[in-house]
């Protein structure tokens, strides 16, 4: 496994691999089984697997958890190597956002609802970093998780609108046995907060907007939103705060689940 820190290094490393299929798994590190499921799928389907390892400051607003976001590069590189990743792109902030940087990408409508309403500027940062990674790596496929359903919707629109010609592969949410969706931020939860956080998957499992809202309110969580989102596929999505930690989750709805 090679680790590259620069755009030029990535392009040089991939120059001889263009005859086969290249898969990209973008991550912000703190790898867990959800990330590993993406890496395994990419390994099975692609000739070359590239993983990015970059905590993107542009998708965090002032006062959010950028400073406390989990970071353990040594651990992440070891897990990536065990997953048979070919190339890890682990740039510095300065490599991707050098002095004088001023170019941004925004998916206006999809990026302004739900997460976009509660985290202004978040999807501008997501769309920009993903377009940069797509341009730098030039993947045939990029791998994401259904947990980030709105991010997936934003990126599908980005790929379509800008004629990027790559395939977005979306894999199912990976959950712990207790039902909590895997997230790097789960590490911040105390045992009591984790117990309270289980109200989120329980509420969404009803696949009913009214019941989910009632359950989340009854459990005393600080709810940013719970809503049916008309993505592809439609989902019942929610964002809550448990202590200082903000969690998102969603469940895919069938036709019967979209009544309300």
């Amino acid at each position: 496994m090679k680790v590259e820190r620069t755009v030029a290094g990535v392009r040089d490393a991939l120059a001889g691999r263009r005859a086969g299929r290249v898969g990209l798994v973008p991550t912000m590190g703190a790898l867990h089984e959800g990330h590993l499921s993406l890496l395994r799928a990419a390994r099975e389907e692609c000739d070359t697997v590239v993983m990015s390892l970059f905590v993107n400051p542009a998708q965090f607003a002032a006062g959010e958890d950028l400073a406390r976001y989990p970071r353990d590069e040594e651990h992440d590189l070891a897990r990536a190597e065990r997953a048979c990743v070919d190339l890890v792109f682990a740039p510095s902030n300065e490599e991707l956002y050098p002095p004088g940087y001023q170019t941004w990408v925004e998916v206006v409508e999809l990026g302004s609802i739900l997460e976009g309403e509660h985290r202004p500027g978040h999807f501008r940062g997501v769309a920009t970093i993903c377009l940069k990674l797509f341009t730098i790596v030039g993947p045939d496929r990029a791998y994401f998780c259904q947990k980030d359903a709105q991010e997936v919707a934003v990126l599908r629109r980005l790929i379509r609108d800008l004629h990027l010609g790559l395939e977005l592969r979306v894999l199912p949410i990976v959950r712990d046995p207790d039902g909590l969706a895997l997230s790097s931020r789960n590490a911040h939860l105390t045992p009591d907060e984790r117990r309270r956080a289980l109200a989120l998957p329980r509420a969404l499992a009803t696949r009913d907007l009214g019941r989910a809202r009632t359950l989340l309110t009854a459990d005393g969580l600080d709810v940013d939103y719970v809503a049916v989102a008309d993505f592809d596929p439609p989902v019942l999505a929610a964002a809550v705060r448990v202590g200082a930690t903000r969690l998102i989750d969603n469940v895919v709805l069938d036709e019967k689940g979209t009544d309300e």
Side-chain angles (χ1 to χ4, degrees):
M1 185 180 77
K2 294 187 68 175
V3 179
E4 295 290 349
R5 306 284 179 178
T6 67
V7 173
V10 170
R11 288 176 170 160
D12 287 345
L14 292 174
R17 293 177 173 265
R18 294 300 179 187
R21 178 181 290 157
V22 176
L24 170 66
V25 181
T27 84
M28 295 205 301
L31 300 187
H32 51 65
E33 184 58 31
H35 298 107
L36 297 182
S37 72
L38 304 181
L39 294 174
R40 284 193 293 268
R43 181 73 282 165
E44 291 174 2
E45 299 171 3
C46 300
D47 301 289
T48 299
V49 177
V50 181
M51 185 186 89
S52 62
L53 180 57
F54 180 65
V55 180
N56 178 33
Q59 66 192 67
F60 292 81
E64 291 189 342
D65 60 347
L66 174 61
R68 67 193 290 259
Y69 195 87
R71 293 168 172 85
D72 188 344
E73 183 178 283
E74 183 178 357
H75 170 269
D76 292 334
L77 292 179
R79 300 201 82 173
E81 187 158 29
R82 288 196 296 271
C84 299
V85 170
D86 297 298
L87 174 64
V88 175
F89 179 37
S92 65
N93 289 345
E94 293 72 23
E95 179 69 13
L96 294 185
Y97 300 110
Y101 186 88
Q102 54 185 294
T103 302
W104 303 97
V105 181
E106 193 160 11
V107 180
V108 178
E109 293 182 16
L110 279 171
S112 65
I113 60 174
L114 302 178
E115 286 294 287
E117 180 181 352
H118 291 271
R119 301 182 67 188
H122 172 68
F123 285 118
R124 184 182 82 154
V126 168
T128 299
I129 192 61
C130 285
L131 181 58
K132 288 169 78 71
L133 292 172
F134 297 161
T135 302
I136 294 163
V137 175
D140 300 287
R141 289 181 177 174
Y143 292 77
F144 291 84
C145 179
Q146 177 63 33
K147 177 174 173 291
D148 299 304
Q150 187 172 1
E151 178 175 289
V152 168
V154 166
L155 294 178
R156 279 184 172 143
R157 175 51 63 182
L158 172 76
I159 290 167
R160 185 180 302 120
D161 287 354
L162 299 184
H163 311 286
L164 297 183
L166 68 95
E167 179 184 352
L168 207 63
R169 285 276 282 118
V170 184
L171 274 69
I173 297 173
V174 179
R175 299 182 181 275
D176 274 329
D178 60 10
L180 192 65
L182 295 189
S183 168
S184 301
R185 290 183 169 92
N186 290 355
H188 295 315
L189 297 171
T190 67
D192 180 65
E193 287 171 342
R194 185 181 176 91
R195 179 189 59 75
R196 293 174 56 214
L198 295 178
L200 177 56
R202 282 199 301 266
L204 293 177
T206 67
R207 287 178 165 77
D208 180 278
L209 177 59
R211 289 173 63 196
R213 182 180 290 126
T214 298
L215 286 172
L216 289 173
T217 302
D219 279 305
L221 298 184
D222 184 1
V223 180
D224 276 358
Y225 63 82
V226 54
V228 171
D230 189 22
F231 301 147
D232 179 19
V235 298
L236 178 61
V240 302
R241 298 176 189 273
V242 187
T245 303
R246 187 175 186 274
L247 301 174
I248 63 170
D249 197 356
N250 69 86
V251 293
V252 174
L253 297 174
D254 57 24
E255 291 181 359
K256 293 180 180 179
T258 59
D259 294 339
E260 188 167 354

